[in-house]
Amino acid sequence: MKNTHINPIPFSLPDIGSEEIAEVVDTLKSGWLTTGPKVKKFEENFVDFLGQNTHAISVNSATAGLHLALEALGIKEGDEVIVPSLTFTASAGVVRHMGAEVKLIDINPITLNMDYNTIKASISKKTKAIIVVHYAGLACDMDEILQLAKSFGIKVIEDAAHALSASYKGRAIGLLESDVTVFSFYANKTMTTGEGGMVVTQDPFIAKRIKVMRLHGIDRDAFDRFRSIKSSWYYEVISAGFKYNMTDIAASIGIHQLQKLPKFLEIRKKIASRYLSELSNLPIILPSDKNNNGVHAWHLFVIRLNQKSKISRDELIHYLSEKNIGTSVHYKPLHLQPYWRDRYKLTSDMFPETDKAYQAMISIPLYTLMTDEQQDYIISELHNAFK
Ligand SMILES: *Cc1c(COP(=O)(O)O)cnc(C)c1O
């Protein structure tokens, strides 16, 4: 389903093929719509994809997955969790759902990721966890962060919503020594299930707790234990759980998206490398190619204006929009969002690098269905914008 028109160019577009559609139809006809055989298959395929034995628990969003991760790690009122200011509000909102407080921190101006020094400086006696965000799909310096967390006895959750396909020092994101990693299958992510997410952990106890809490606090092991003796209606509720399970309809899409993920990554890499070379002489800062011997997932391609740009970020967005090119900004930082700003009395001078990056940044289109002609057009309009 290639888009044959050059114009308009959306910011993002899901890449859904006939395989996904046929699988969804098969599920709709099967008589089983909610969590069932397709979810089980999708979870098994996900473990195979990562390539190492681990636990993969599907959920109906990454936000749900992050919430479950914090719950399983016992984060509670009085605790503090470190989160970068340059992220989507979901990374931080879940901390408040547990009654804990968010410690927002500044970013590294080169990678746009949180780094060792800023994390270390913000650790207090109350710090119980760090939510690491691999911004745009570039892995954070995980060896340093994990070692720091270990030395302070702090848990690490990776918000890998941008980072499915990414790796760090040759190891896939999802297989590092953090406590939990959460991926997103939202419509514009590197693969989609419409809405959905996957929680990955090596810890069998955390996996068990997340499985129970994603579906009403129902203990499936008890269900299985009594199934033979009593009958299949029997279950035990061991906690006040959530309704965060994935449906077989969503998993049907996921099964095929996952198979296509290596191909998607190759296309994303190719688009990114063309942008990197063909935009290199413009008065802009291109994404860091620092990759720690890993792979950038290229969920986003974020450019930043510099002092020589002459036009403002908003003028550039307006110019591109007039040319029918969709763009976005990732993100208006949390310290500037009313809720977070007011709750923690945050000011811009506390986040100099995040603030500066935000004022200058724009995300340009990067999606697998983009044609070469469309990319040519975007590149030439970016050149025109700076003339
Ligand atoms: C998309 C996103 C989320 C939320 O993912 P959902 O699946 O929509 O809940 C969380 N964190 C970051 C950094 C994201 O980009």
Side-chain angles (χ1 to χ4, degrees), residues 60-64 66 87-88 90-91 133 159 161-162 183-186 188-189 195-197 299 331:
N60 58 11
S61 73
T63 307
L66 291 166
T87 187
F88 185 54
S91 313
V133 179
D159 175 345
H162 299 183
F183 297 100
S184 172
F185 308 132
Y186 183 69
N188 71 1
K189 299 288 158 70
E195 297 274 6
H299 164 54
Y331 298 89

